[in-house]
Amino acid sequence: MKTTGIAVIGAGPAGIAAALAASEAGAAVTLIDENSTVGGQLRWRIAALRGLGDGLDGLPACQAVERLEERLAAADVSVLTNAVAWGLFEDGSLAVATPGGGFLLQAEKIVVATGSVDLALPFPGWTLPGVLTARAAQILLHLHRVLPGRRVAVVGEGLDAAELVTDLETAGAEVVLRASDPAQVVVSGDGRVEWVTANGERREADAVVIALGRQPDPELALQAQVDLGYSARLGCHLPLRSALLETSRPGLYVAGEAAGAADLAESFAEGRLAGLAAAGASPERIAATQEALARARSPERSVEVDRLRLGTSDRAQVEADTSSPWRSWGRAATAEGRDNSLARVALCRCEQVTIGEVRQAIEEGALTINDIKRRTRAGMGLCQGIFCTGAMALLLHAERGIPLSEIVPMTERPPARPIPLVSLVEIEE
Amino acid sequence: MDQAHRNQAGDLRVLHHPVLGDLPESRPVQITVDGQPLLAREGEAIAAALLAHGILVCRTMPGGREPRGVFCALGRCADCLMTVDGEPNVRACLIPVREGQVVWTQAGLGRWEGRAG
């Protein structure tokens, strides 16, 4: 078994900041990422950085990556790319798959900084080639320099949607339609996107981008069954953490968007704090970093973090301030009998389980996401539920009146990603 | 969108970008997609090379012929599975192009070709 002082999973803004901070504080650090290069979302975003400090502000995010890579090299952080951390076991060991084979890694402390994934809610035509997430569009535009389409429709109205519209237009695409409510969107075409209808308007288009926002993806922490609390802002559950970002499992920290951080500046500041705390840095340095983190957070997010940390929640508020696009989707999907226009739409893209089939399972007694999964196979496919469990929760809420705060994520088990069997057979123990 | 953004008919590459600058020169990499030759850029993902040439479909789903293409581009959704050099279920959004690579649109779960599975 390989060993390290601190294992950081995910080399995006939070993970890089955690690795650098832990290394500065004297720890031996291993930084693991499934991509071929470090940087995470910094690589595919071009908006100028703000509030990160460290000489990075003002740079387009993608140009900050090179500087951070230099610092990682100078700090003697062991960087493993093309490496998938797919399991976190009870004895604290991490299972890692690489193209050269698999191994177990025993770390004294673990920082999960695995970021977030786009939110997606089903609408007719959402599985057609040409429909893609906001991140997919940014990756194509900025990493690969390819337009997802020439005439593009954008679904969503928040900050991510605004950034994406700017990105598309800057690269030379035409945004032909914007729709705020995914339940009102219909996409059609023969084997690819050709037409988009929303708000009573019909437009010819060759791509549709879903930009509804993001959902945290702390899968390894969920495997470790850490305590969770509900975020009304995001409409999902988050790992509960101490003031030093440690979860209910001692030695396991979660930082950045995986724990609900709202932007790059907050992710970077959370990473620094988690790295210093895991490395056992001096109280003075930790206090200064906590102050910097408080400055990086919006007042709304600060209230949320405190509420989660202290375990207090206000049920009325929790239900009232759940973001509206989500709630209206659940109402629309359950508005009529199971013959409504959304009933035949795939809710689970991987296993091709329809919204109607999930509603039937709920009618027959399913009360949790795990129940729906067992009855229908929804959530059991290659994406491991990341693109469908949000919609399942909204259907449970709409059909049964179960508060969203009481609908917990499905049970996560290894492997967190599809891995070749050879990385199990040839595992180094 | 103006003509300057296109290399050739059907090419969706962003040649000039106000923030990122001009598309850097790169060594052309020849791959074969469903038996047809295709010129890609060194270092790019297979799916990006296909999209640049207007090819959206990576696979068809099991139990039907529903086509799928790039959805998340992060390696999470697995909609872009293709058969690459005889190996099925390769995520085309993550795996870079390589000279002489043979790529096929994958039908259903795919199957091993050309070497032992």
Side-chain angles (χ1 to χ4, degrees), chain B residues 10 14 21 28 35 37 43 55 60 63-64 66 68 101:
Chain B
V14 181
I55 302 170
T60 54
E66 188 189 320
R68 291 286 173 88
Q101 199 170 44

Side-chain angles (χ1 to χ4, degrees), chain B residues 25-97:
Chain B
E25 292 285 315
S26 89
R27 198 171 67 81
V29 173
Q30 169 114 20
I31 64 173
T32 307
V33 180
D34 291 343
Q36 301 294 315
L38 186 146
L39 271 186
R41 285 171 56 86
E42 186 172 30
E44 73 182 345
I46 295 168
L50 267 57
L51 279 166
H53 291 80
I55 302 170
L56 271 67
V57 179
C58 294
R59 66 158 166 157
T60 54
M61 295 297 280
R65 299 228 300 263
E66 188 189 320
R68 291 286 173 88
V70 170
F71 180 65
C72 79
L74 283 169
R76 290 305 307 272
C77 75
D79 267 4
C80 67
L81 298 181
M82 302 189 82
T83 300
V84 178
D85 293 334
E87 182 182 343
N89 301 316
V90 172
R91 286 173 286 179
C93 72
L94 294 184
I95 301 302
V97 294

Side-chain angles (χ1 to χ4, degrees), chain A residues 251-275:
Chain A
L252 180 64
Y253 297 75
V254 185
E257 289 192 4
D263 57 28
L264 288 172
E266 188 187 352
S267 289
F268 206 71
E270 280 208 353
R272 282 195 64 77
L273 178 59

